[in-house]
Amino acid sequence: MEDDSAVMTAPNMTVDGDRLWSSLEQMAKVGPGIAGGCNRQTLTDADAEGRTLFAGWCRDAGMSMTLDRMGNMFMRHEGTQPDLDPIYIGSHLDTQPTGGKYDGVLGVLAGLEVVRAIRDMGLRTRRPIVVVNWTNEEGTRFAPSMLASGVFTGMHSEEYANSRVDAEGKTFGDELDRIGWRGDEAPGDRRIHAMFEYHIEQGPILEAENKQIGVVTHGQGLWWLEVTLTGKDAHTGSTPMSMRVNAGLGMARITEAVHRIAMAHQPDAVGAVGQANLYPNSRNVIPGKAVFTIDFRTPDAAKLASMRSQLEVEAAEIAKELGLGLQIEVTGHYEPVTFDPTLVGKVRDAADRLGLSHMDIVSGAGHDACWISKVAPTAMIFCPCVDGLSHNEAEEISPEWAKAGCDVLLHAVLDAAEIVT
């Protein structure tokens, strides 16, 4: 995108950090966890309560709301030229079952705080500003993750999204209707000039490097693979070693291969087996079946393709050697993301202007911004988190970190939305 800023922001333009922190603490009371965090899974009653609280705050800040058919919430602060494409600030309010108080919600409430600060300072922008809550980013209840932003960008169909089923057999579509947060607007039926997403890092790098701001330049691509190995159930005591068809041994060998393959593609490549199940899962039965997941990630497209290819070759060789049946199913995939250089520059310039320490960083997790980058210029800002801990009720950030990133967000948004003098 072209740099069309009209007026440079001044370092004394800042958000109200205490108000931002208070909003975070109040939202954390909605869908509380059992160990200090949150359980506000998507399309639950707690999600509906959190949406209602957020919508009320936005109305108090003079914003209007539109809902699309995926339940995505678009809260609009008007610009002096309403026909111009808006600047979007977005993330998500849903959490993991044992989630923290800041993952996702920080970006949504920071967007609200940006609008509040603009109103407090009496500023006007040419472009409208829209704060968005994307539905079902986590994907913990209804897989896959980033579902509604995926529909918005045409990566998934509405039919596909509505048919997703949770562990109790309830569908996404039915639950969205039940909580009353389905709108009329067709997903994707709106234009975006630029979008910023502010998020906790979910990793330990910023804290370890003593940096206040992560300037996100790329997002990792990933392959999610589900492997099924089929052998033969047999007695562990009476079956000779040479006559076993051990699916558990095959899983162990492939698990080691995943680690070795990721290490061979350094730097900036990761891989691991996550979920693993052996059947019949009895202490005195040789496993006749193993089902497990593999997660490969890297911001390098060539490395991503190479890791999957090498794994498939080695897994086939291991299965053949052990006499196992092998099936590999792709359960998730997206290509690496390069965020918009102009918007990334605005984030970096804002951090410099505010005198905040910063570093370039690659996102190791998926975010709604990764899908939105397919249809509009997009950038991300990272906030440090203690020990890199996330998707955990012990997730922690500081009020100072939260405000620093929100100040950067404010300046980047004002630059992109164009202050009117």
Side-chain angles (χ1 to χ4, degrees), residues 252-262 296 311 314-315 318:
R253 295 269 298 273
I254 293 174
T255 299
E256 191 280 331
V258 169
H259 180 80
R260 178 167 34 79
I261 290 167
F296 281 130
L311 182 280
E314 293 200 25
I318 291 168

Side-chain angles (χ1 to χ4, degrees), residues 327-350:
Q327 178 182 350
I328 301 178
E329 177 186 358
V330 175
T331 57
H333 172 65
Y334 50 82
E335 288 297 311
V337 172
T338 299
F339 289 113
D340 182 79
T342 298
L343 293 186
V344 171
K346 289 183 184 296
V347 172
R348 193 179 293 114
D349 291 346

Side-chain angles (χ1 to χ4, degrees), residues 68 72 74 151-153 185-191:
D68 72 9
N72 295 318
F74 302 103
V151 174
F152 183 93
T153 57
E185 181 177 287
D189 190 20
R190 52 177 52 226
R191 295 178 61 85

Side-chain angles (χ1 to χ4, degrees), residues 143-378:
S145 59
M146 298 127 63
L147 181 63
S149 59
V151 174
F152 183 93
T153 57
M155 310 308 295
H156 307 303
S157 69
E158 288 186 63
E159 294 74 18
Y160 172 82
N162 283 318
S163 68
R164 298 303 87 201
V165 179
D166 70 4
E168 297 179 352
K170 299 175 181 177
T171 67
F172 176 97
D174 286 347
E175 286 295 274
L176 181 57
D177 290 332
R178 182 189 68 80
I179 68 168
W181 281 90
R182 188 193 295 276
D184 297 325
E185 181 177 287
D189 190 20
R190 52 177 52 226
R191 295 178 61 85
I192 300 175
H193 182 69
M195 192 189 97
F196 295 91
E197 181 169 2
Y198 180 33
H199 206 281
I200 63 170
E201 180 195 350
Q202 300 181 282
I205 297 173
L206 293 176
E207 185 185 34
E209 296 292 333
N210 197 29
K211 301 295 184 183
Q212 296 162 289
I213 304 295
V215 181
V216 186
T217 58
H218 296 79
Q220 292 192 120
L222 68 77
W223 281 112
W224 281 351
L225 308 173
E226 183 174 278
V227 179
T228 301
L229 295 173
T230 306
K232 182 184 295 185
D233 300 357
H235 196 292
T236 56
S238 57
T239 307
M241 296 297 290
S242 61
M243 298 177 68
R244 300 182 178 207
V245 189
N246 187 343
L249 176 59
M251 184 176 74
R253 295 269 298 273
I254 293 174
T255 299
E256 191 280 331
V258 169
H259 180 80
R260 178 167 34 79
I261 290 167
M263 290 300 294
H265 286 81
Q266 295 303 302
D268 300 325
V270 295
V273 167
Q275 189 179 62
N277 295 286
L278 295 174
Y279 303 92
N281 198 30
S282 174
R283 70 180 66 227
N284 61 348
V285 179
I286 299 164
K289 183 179 179 181
V291 181
F292 55 100
T293 62
I294 296 170
D295 186 331
F296 281 130
R297 304 190 191 208
T298 176
D300 185 314
K303 287 183 179 180
L304 189 64
S306 176
M307 287 195 292
R308 177 189 172 185
S309 176
Q310 187 173 336
L311 182 280
E312 288 176 337
V313 169
E314 293 200 25
E317 292 173 348
I318 291 168
K320 182 178 179 180
E321 178 186 344
L322 299 178
L324 299 168
L326 170 68
Q327 178 182 350
I328 301 178
E329 177 186 358
V330 175
T331 57
H333 172 65
Y334 50 82
E335 288 297 311
V337 172
T338 299
F339 289 113
D340 182 79
T342 298
L343 293 186
V344 171
K346 289 183 184 296
V347 172
R348 193 179 293 114
D349 291 346
D352 283 334
R353 195 179 311 133
L354 291 162
L356 298 170
S357 60
H358 61 86
M359 63 179 290
D360 288 358
I361 194 167
V362 172
S363 172
H367 300 283
D368 293 304
C370 296
W371 282 148
I372 302 305
S373 70
K374 307 295 183 184
V375 298
T378 306

